[in-house]
Amino acid sequence: MPTIILLRHGETHWNRQQRIQGHGDSPLTLKGIDQARAYGRAVAPLLGAAQWRLVSSPLSRCMQTMAIFCEVAGLDFAQVERDARLKEVSTGEYSGRLKAEFPPGELGGSGRQSWFFHCPGGESHDHMVARLSAWLESLSENDHVIAVSHGIAGKVLRGLYCGWDPDSALAQDSPQDALFLLRDGQMQRLACP
Ligand SMILES: O=C(O)[C@@H](CO)OP(=O)(O)O
């Protein structure tokens, strides 16, 4: 199986405001910039002699994270591949809205029943699984990949890689101060202080 170091982008202004992003976008906060630097410091000692492919969701919060990460880790940002299959779930018409705007309980549900897979004009869990599975299947057995993606996309991806039941995968957290090393079908979480 391919080896993947999976990162979520650093904190953004909309994350801080509790504003729904989806395919909308906002830049990193200063804290998010520091988190991207911390990813670079944590990953540099893991690189060894392998030839790492660098792949990012094209959303600017991921590209910004990747640029800072590359500079700190000593990797070449010019080599970064943008892959739309790594985008966050589309939250359709809810993108850009504050979570606080919604009546209590409206943004509820868990696992595949979570509100974020049922937004008007948004993306279903099945659609997201199809595109993330296609990305995983496009990798070669011996690939070493550093991927920058998103909170929900990252959970689904970790679940697909490790073969977890989808609802358990979605019950995971989506930190911006830890990375996930995916190797031989297993996941290791490493703090990035
Ligand atoms: O879209 C969002 O609001 C969040 C949800 O997790 O995703 P991201 O990881 O891009 O902040």
Side-chain angles (χ1 to χ4, degrees), residues 1-7 46 52 135-136 139 141 143-147 153-164 172 179-190:
M1 288 183 88
T3 299
I4 303 172
I5 293 175
L6 180 62
L7 311 173
L46 306 177
W52 290 87
W135 180 71
L136 271 179
L139 303 179
E141 191 73 1
D143 265 346
H144 285 67
V145 181
I146 298 170
K155 295 184 204 188
V156 173
L157 200 52
R158 271 140 47 207
L160 289 170
Y161 184 93
C162 298
W164 298 331
Q172 290 235 328
L179 63 83
F180 296 96
L181 176 59
L182 305 176
R183 195 165 41 192
D184 301 328
Q186 308 279 324
M187 183 191 88
Q188 196 184 348
R189 179 195 174 110
L190 299 173

Side-chain angles (χ1 to χ4, degrees), residues 10 30 45 73 76 94 120 132 148 182 185:
L30 289 176
D76 182 5
Y94 286 181
L132 288 169
V148 181
L182 305 176

Side-chain angles (χ1 to χ4, degrees), residues 18-47:
Q18 295 280 297
R19 202 179 280 282
I20 299 164
Q21 296 192 118
H23 290 185
D25 217 354
S26 73
L28 301 185
T29 59
L30 289 176
K31 181 178 175 184
I33 290 169
D34 283 344
Q35 289 167 331
R37 287 198 181 108
Y39 288 149
R41 289 193 301 272
V43 169
L46 306 177
L47 296 175

Side-chain angles (χ1 to χ4, degrees), residues 8-9 15 19-22 61 88 150-152 174 176:
R8 181 183 175 197
H9 60 80
N15 287 151
R19 202 179 280 282
I20 299 164
Q21 296 192 118
R61 55 195 184 271
E88 185 53 300
H150 301 266
I152 295 156
S174 43
Q176 289 166 310

Side-chain angles (χ1 to χ4, degrees), residues 69-116:
F69 161 80
C70 283
E71 194 166 344
V72 174
L75 295 164
D76 182 5
F77 180 70
Q79 303 304 317
V80 175
E81 305 162 37
R82 294 161 177 76
D83 198 313
R85 292 174 292 189
L86 293 181
K87 276 187 179 182
E88 185 53 300
V89 62
S90 168
T91 48
E93 292 171 21
Y94 286 181
S95 191
R97 292 182 59 184
L98 288 168
K99 291 182 184 170
E101 285 174 35
F102 293 85
E106 192 165 323
L107 301 183
S110 61
R112 283 164 290 181
Q113 299 313 315
S114 291
W115 65 270
F116 43 76

